[in-house]
Amino acid sequence: MDARTETGETEGVHGGSDGPGVPDDVERLWMPHRMAYIKGENKPISGAVGECPFCRVPKLDDADGLIVARGTLVYAVLNLYPYSPGHLMICPYRHVADYTDLDARETVELATFTQRGMRALRAASNPHGFNLGMNQGAVAGAGIAAHLHQHIVPRWGGDANFMAVIGRTRVLPQLLADTREVVAESWAKVEAESADDPESDAEGPDDRGTGPVS
């Protein structure tokens, strides 16, 4: 006898005799955060400061806000809708939209945090490469165009497959809260090393590998 019921439906697909959610031989990847993204959750309508999630996040504690590190003028936070595990964003506290709106000190700290983010991710998960960038304006793909944010997306060989190309879905093997703890711990180690050696925040010719930071 095959696995079909008297109605012709396969056991497990429509619940079967054991109800929904019972394991069967079909693997399912549940991605509920994608629906929140599709519905525009946390996306401000007017771009006003009071509606801006990047202005609201620093007021939360680190765990609730998914904040990895706080600086004087900028902070590092996990992307709530990541492209890959460890997808970070570096944001100025100040509500500015354009890269040219940053003052000199903000520009320097944003660059420094970008370097530290890369080092922390290398130590935490050994990515093979990174995508770094800012989408300036809604027409350029910025989801929240009113508040500048730089993306640090770790990449691994073969990390883009049919799920992203056809299903428009990313498969993340780790919960965001767990990722935040791992990256924050790595960031703290990198920051301590930077304090001991101020020159370490400048990328040198021997600091471009893909292995963990020693």
Side-chain angles (χ1 to χ4, degrees):
M1 175 181 288
D2 64 18
R4 295 184 178 279
T5 64
E6 292 181 0
T7 61
E9 295 177 349
T10 303
E11 292 279 357
V13 174
H14 295 283
S17 58
D18 295 321
V22 177
D24 55 23
D25 61 352
V26 178
E27 189 171 343
R28 296 171 177 83
L29 301 172
W30 302 101
M31 302 289 290
H33 75 277
R34 291 297 301 170
M35 183 56 67
Y37 178 79
I38 291 169
K39 290 182 176 180
E41 181 179 293
N42 293 322
K43 187 173 182 179
I45 297 174
S46 68
V49 174
E51 297 179 354
C52 178
F54 292 136
C55 291
R56 185 171 63 250
V57 162
K59 299 175 183 177
L60 305 174
D61 62 39
D62 289 354
D64 289 340
L66 297 176
I67 292 176
V68 170
R70 298 175 188 257
T72 304
L73 301 171
V74 306
Y75 67 95
V77 61
L78 284 180
N79 194 320
L80 189 59
Y81 311 108
Y83 288 107
S84 64
H87 180 169
L88 287 173
M89 295 181 295
I90 311 300
C91 306
Y93 293 114
R94 198 160 60 95
H95 187 78
V96 295
D98 199 84
Y99 185 56
T100 61
D101 293 333
L102 296 178
D103 63 29
R105 293 176 62 233
E106 288 169 328
T107 302
V108 169
E109 190 168 321
L110 187 142
T112 298
F113 261 51
T114 299
Q115 291 178 338
R116 289 182 184 174
M118 292 173 65
R119 289 193 177 98
L121 288 169
R122 282 177 177 148
S125 54
N126 192 27
H128 301 151
F130 294 91
N131 288 121
L132 305 176
M134 304 177 194
N135 299 323
Q136 295 281 265
V139 70
I144 302 175
H147 196 129
L148 175 74
H149 51 285
Q150 166 143 306
H151 295 270
I152 306 176
V153 183
R155 300 296 305 274
W156 292 265
D159 62 6
N161 56 27
F162 77 96
M163 288 298 294
V165 176
I166 298 176
R168 307 255 335 141
T169 299
R170 290 283 182 173
V171 180
L172 287 305
Q174 191 175 51
L175 295 175
L176 286 172
D178 295 335
T179 301
R180 193 209 69 82
E181 289 185 9
V182 171
V183 178
E185 182 179 344
S186 294
W187 189 294
K189 292 178 181 177
V190 168
E191 199 165 50
E193 293 171 358
S194 299
D196 292 336
D197 180 13
E199 296 298 321
S200 66
D201 274 324
E203 289 281 343
D206 297 325
D207 194 27
R208 293 195 291 264
T210 59
V213 175
S214 58

